[in-house]
Amino acid sequence: MTEPLLEFRDVTIQYQTNRGPVTAVSGASFSIEPGEFSGLVGESGSGKSTLVKSVIGGLDSNGEVTAGKILYKGEEIQDYTEEELNEKIRWKEISYIPQSSMNSLDPLQRVSEQAVEIASVHSDLSKSEALERFKELFEIVGLSPDRIDDYPHQFSGGMQQRAITALALFLDPALIIADEPTTALDVIMQDQIFKYLDRVKANTDTSMLLITHDISVVFESCEQIAVLHGGQVCESGSVEDIYRNPTHPYSILLQRAFPDIRYPDRKLEIIEGHPPEQLGEVTECSFVERCPWAVDACYENAPPLENVSESEQNHQSACFRNDETHALKGELTELAGLTDGGEPNE
Amino acid sequence: MSMKRYVAVRTIQTAVLLMLILTFLFMLFRLIPGSIADQMIFQGASPEAVAAFEEQWGLNDPLHVQYYHYLVNMAQLDPGTSLHYRKPVLDYVKLKMFNTFILVAPGVTAGYLLGTSLGTIMGIKRDSLLEKYGIFPIVGVGTTPSFFLAIIGVIIFAGWLGLVPTSGMITPQVALEMGEDAPWWKIYTTGDFLWHYVLPFSVIAIKYMYEPLLIMRTSVVEMAGQDFLHYHKLTGLPKARWIRHLGKHAIIPIITFYPISLGRAISGLVLIEIVFNWPGIGNALVEAVLQSDYPVIQFVFFLTAAFVVVGNYVVDIVYGMIDPRISIAD
């Protein structure tokens, strides 16, 4: 097996607040292989943005990785200083598409100026080479190359999103972290953005870590997926495995909460409750309060990620009752009296 | 709207405003009770002499003709003759103006530079000891009335310590030694001038430090939290570059404030000039008012207003250059 590009090992991230430390991410583990598109899904407040921001030093000043390791190409980066991040990681290796792309371009700088500045800091490109390259990228993301000298306010929101994406692709990063890149856009724009992300995937060997609360987007664009709940990774694995064979109770319930075009009459399920806000150390499964099948052990310890079966590589689920959930799911279907809640055949 | 058009529109607006100020002053000084002729010739002159005088100076002309002459004269930079000193107002005011300018402009500028730099540091090092405790003395000093500050300065540095003279711009002896033929700017190059200069300069600088400091501190804190600055950081810009971007955004309100402050200070530091007995425009204005020297007052009023107007004009142009989003709606 090759070395993963990026690996989280039992990462715990806490924010210091007036009420004590809030644990946003606890013991999260998962990894991204080179050239792979990986999706990170979860509800609002599940810690997905926090987790990825820790990679590039983007946490708020009161946030900190308090335990675990973040490995990039085998090197521990969780304790990197600002200078080291600037030297080794940011834009040289990992670029970032922020959640608020509409406010992220400097209003006093032409977009091309911002690109040239980034190039001058991180690469040997001359100014004209950088501009040439940036023009090409404008073309790739579907913007007219002669508009690179515009100011951000001359662009629409969708165009700013594209310009930000062009900046992320600019220096051929090994990994792009996209934090809900399409949240602010309408579905048509979303579709266009994902179309060119697909094109990027086809044409380069860039990896992508895509954060979203829209699970269908992940199924469409990614190979790997990790499901986050309350700061814990519930389940991770290939998109096919998790779609066909969700094992963690949260994933099972989540799947039933999504509309399926093949069963338009099916009633959508609701997962009651909210992800918990955790003060201090977390010692239980974060899903325990919402889980229909919780047992005493779930309150005592946070379950570790374990392989689900020997046939499915990398498919891991963090539940003490991994072996039983499929049977339990059957019960649930009968109880709810669904027309068809099982696994649809393709 | 293009930058060119923006500049053109603002230029025309400014010209119109200056015109309005001239008109207002023209009317103001004609509303003052008493005849100008009474002020200008000795009392007890015969009615014929007064009539001849009024005829000579066009005081009997219809108002619009007088207004026309007034505008033409002003356009030619000829604001008339001082009633008291019997010499052209411009020559008299010019030197006073220069004395004020050479004191106030560097003083206010130094205050702004200091305040802006310190405010930036305080904004970046939020919650540091410097920020928590440094702000009180600076605001305390800055909000003290300027004349009081000046008097305290004189007591400490001129009285107790004896480091600097109490008042004046130059020791008369030094000026006399220079002789009549020396060029007018010669005294400003002497060490004696500098010796007189230090204290009033420092008082103005300290007085003008606190406003930009407070604005800059708040502005820096506010800007540092903006998404685009966070993005700048995540693109891996070195700290120094990042601070430069931060500064460029945070300084915009300071740039708005500076020329206005300067414009006001040049015409408004009368009390400091009086405490230090500085031969500037403030002192000259007070003197002129006491002597009812209308041509001088009229011109100084105009200059005062013009500084503020031109200051605003400069702000708008600079603003338009640094922030491309600023323009006037069609």
Side-chain angles (χ1 to χ4, degrees):
Chain A
M1 210 175 99
T2 53
E3 189 181 50
L5 184 66
L6 180 70
E7 188 182 359
F8 295 94
R9 270 192 210 159
D10 287 324
V11 173
T12 297
I13 300 173
Q14 292 184 326
Y15 288 105
Q16 301 301 325
T17 69
N18 294 336
R19 297 175 298 149
V22 170
T23 305
V25 175
S26 58
S29 302
F30 81 106
S31 58
I32 301 164
E33 306 297 325
E36 194 176 73
F37 272 37
S38 189
L40 190 58
V41 295
E43 295 168 59
S44 294
S46 59
K48 20 184 222 307
S49 284
T50 297
L51 186 60
V52 297
K53 277 183 187 164
S54 68
V55 178
I56 46 165
L59 291 175
D60 290 342
S61 57
N62 61 343
E64 197 194 353
V65 178
T66 52
K69 288 175 183 172
I70 301 170
L71 299 164
Y72 181 77
K73 289 184 175 168
E75 197 168 333
E76 284 186 35
I77 61 170
Q78 75 275 8
D79 295 325
Y80 269 15
T81 60
E82 283 288 306
E83 286 73 24
E84 284 175 306
L85 285 167
N86 288 345
E87 284 286 309
K88 299 179 190 166
I89 300 294
R90 291 171 176 162
W91 251 255
K92 285 201 171 68
E93 294 288 340
I94 304 177
S95 66
Y96 179 66
I97 302 175
Q99 200 166 6
S100 49
S101 61
M102 300 227 219
N103 301 316
S104 289
L105 289 168
D106 190 326
L108 300 188
Q109 255 185 329
R110 295 175 195 279
V111 182
S112 57
E113 284 170 353
Q114 196 155 356
V116 167
E117 186 172 31
I118 290 172
S120 76
V121 170
H122 295 298
S123 75
D124 303 326
L125 293 176
S126 72
K127 192 178 168 186
S128 57
E129 285 167 344
L131 288 174
E132 242 355 270
R133 166 101 184 109
F134 196 51
K135 272 186 189 159
E136 286 168 25
L137 282 167
F138 252 50
E139 202 124 35
I140 290 176
V141 300
L143 290 169
S144 165
D146 51 346
R147 294 200 61 181
I148 59 167
D149 291 330
D150 278 5
Y151 285 100
H153 74 273
Q154 292 167 296
F155 287 131
S156 70
M159 291 161 89
Q160 289 189 25
Q161 172 66 57
R162 289 152 181 247
I164 280 269
T165 309
L167 282 172
L169 296 168
F170 188 36
L171 300 178
D172 285 327
L175 173 66
I176 298 173
I177 294 176
D179 192 353
E180 307 202 18
T182 57
T183 305
L185 304 176
D186 62 52
V187 282
I188 295 170
M189 279 307 305
Q190 284 189 16
D191 190 53
Q192 287 185 7
I193 300 265
F194 283 114
K195 278 223 176 83
Y196 71 65
L197 288 182
D198 284 344
R199 210 167 350 144
V200 168
K201 189 164 150 189
N203 297 333
T204 65
D205 51 3
T206 300
S207 305
M208 162 111 58
L209 176 54
L210 180 68
I211 292 92
T212 177
H213 47 237
D214 189 349
I215 203 166
S216 52
V217 158
V218 176
F219 284 145
E220 211 169 297
S221 313
C222 300
E223 288 120 31
Q224 297 285 319
I225 182 170
V227 181
L228 217 60
H229 182 273
Q232 294 171 348
V233 176
C234 302
E235 190 164 1
S236 66
S238 75
V239 164
E240 286 86 22
D241 287 345
I242 293 201
Y243 186 74
R244 285 170 201 271
N245 183 23
T247 302
H248 192 281
Y250 182 49
S251 319
I252 292 172
L253 294 172
L254 206 57
Q255 197 187 41
R256 293 156 55 89
F258 264 77
D260 189 322
I261 198 164
R262 286 161 298 188
Y263 310 109
D265 296 333
R266 201 181 71 182
K267 192 167 160 270
L268 296 181
E269 294 293 307
I270 294 165
I271 306 175
E272 298 292 340
H274 299 282
E277 189 186 30
Q278 282 142 332
L279 282 172
E281 297 301 316
V282 178
T283 53
E284 56 178 28
C285 173
S286 70
F287 193 57
V288 66
E289 294 295 344
R290 307 170 77 182
C291 182
W293 309 309
V295 292
D296 288 348
C298 307
Y299 288 92
E300 281 151 23
N301 283 303
L305 276 171
E306 281 168 349
N307 281 338
V308 168
S309 69
E310 287 181 12
S311 60
E312 294 170 345
Q313 270 206 338
N314 292 336
H315 184 185
Q316 295 181 312
S317 168
C319 182
F320 289 122
R321 305 181 75 185
N322 270 347
D323 302 337
E324 305 167 58
T325 50
H326 287 112
L328 293 166
K329 181 173 140 191
E331 283 171 31
L332 196 74
T333 308
E334 278 170 35
L335 279 175
L338 298 175
T339 51
D340 189 345
E343 297 153 49
N345 300 312
E346 304 242 339
Chain B
M1 183 189 276
S2 74
M3 189 66 200
K4 259 186 203 154
R5 240 197 103 193
Y6 172 69
V7 173
V9 170
R10 284 298 289 128
T11 309
I12 293 167
Q13 285 174 344
T14 304
V16 170
L17 203 54
L18 288 175
M19 190 71 188
L20 284 175
I21 292 167
L22 281 173
T23 309
F24 174 74
L25 287 174
F26 174 81
M27 296 195 297
L28 186 71
F29 280 87
R30 269 144 198 85
L31 288 174
I32 295 172
S35 123
I36 293 174
D38 287 347
Q39 297 283 341
M40 290 191 70
I41 53 179
F42 290 112
Q43 289 192 346
S46 66
E48 292 79 21
V50 173
F53 179 86
E54 287 185 335
E55 187 60 36
Q56 186 195 343
W57 291 101
L59 293 171
N60 293 329
D61 290 346
L63 217 52
H64 66 270
V65 176
Q66 287 192 34
Y67 179 60
Y68 171 74
H69 287 305
Y70 163 82
L71 286 184
V72 169
N73 286 341
M74 277 299 198
Q76 292 168 343
L77 277 182
D78 176 15
T81 308
S82 162
L83 302 184
H84 184 76
Y85 292 97
R86 305 277 157 181
K87 64 177 178 182
V89 170
L90 192 63
D91 290 352
Y92 173 68
V93 168
K94 218 161 54 180
L95 202 62
K96 301 287 184 189
M97 200 69 232
F98 184 78
N99 288 343
T100 291
F101 196 76
I102 202 171
L103 174 66
V104 170
V108 172
T109 307
Y112 262 77
L113 288 177
L114 265 171
T116 307
S117 326
L118 217 64
T120 309
I121 296 171
M122 283 184 175
I124 291 172
K125 301 216 176 277
R126 195 119 194 263
D127 288 330
S128 62
L129 288 179
L130 174 77
E131 197 237 348
K132 274 183 186 153
Y133 299 105
I135 217 139
F136 290 110
I138 291 166
V139 172
V141 169
T143 47
T144 308
S146 57
F147 69 91
F148 188 70
L149 212 58
I151 290 169
I152 299 283
V154 169
I155 290 173
I156 295 176
F157 295 100
W160 294 348
L161 300 176
L163 293 174
V164 290
T166 54
S167 68
M169 191 176 81
I170 192 140
T171 314
Q173 194 61 29
V174 175
L176 280 176
E177 274 171 16
M178 229 172 258
E180 288 282 312
D181 302 331
W184 64 272
W185 45 264
K186 195 79 194 283
I187 54 168
Y188 302 106
T189 60
T190 58
D192 187 69
F193 169 76
L194 201 65
W195 185 49
H196 283 80
Y197 185 73
V198 177
L199 188 57
F201 167 81
S202 307
V203 168
I204 293 174
I206 286 175
K207 168 85 186 157
Y208 275 85
M209 193 168 104
Y210 94 103
E211 269 176 345
L213 185 143
L214 289 185
I215 295 172
M216 195 63 183
R217 186 186 66 137
T218 314
S219 185
V220 161
V221 169
E222 198 183 305
M223 281 302 158
Q226 296 284 324
D227 286 333
F228 50 84
L229 279 160
H230 191 60
Y231 183 72
H232 269 312
K233 185 177 129 183
L234 295 186
T235 60
L237 297 192
K239 185 97 178 168
R241 248 175 207 270
W242 185 79
I243 290 177
R244 213 159 65 208
H245 279 296
L246 173 62
K248 207 176 161 190
H249 284 275
I251 209 165
I252 290 177
I254 303 273
I255 291 176
T256 328
F257 228 66
Y258 170 70
I260 299 171
S261 261
L262 189 61
R264 283 201 196 138
I266 282 176
S267 45
L269 287 179
V270 180
L271 291 174
I272 285 193
E273 285 189 5
I274 288 175
V275 171
F276 287 107
N277 196 21
W278 193 266
I281 199 75
N283 251 333
L285 181 61
V286 172
E287 206 178 294
V289 168
L290 293 177
Q291 289 155 349
S292 304
D293 199 343
Y294 290 159
V296 172
I297 303 173
Q298 181 176 266
F299 188 54
V300 173
F301 276 7
F302 173 69
L303 280 182
T304 305
F307 277 128
V308 176
V309 170
V310 172
N312 285 340
Y313 172 71
V314 171
V315 170
D316 284 349
I317 301 298
V318 173
Y319 224 114
M321 283 193 298
I322 51 173
D323 193 335
R325 289 167 298 181
I326 310 279
S327 67
I328 329 173
D330 288 83

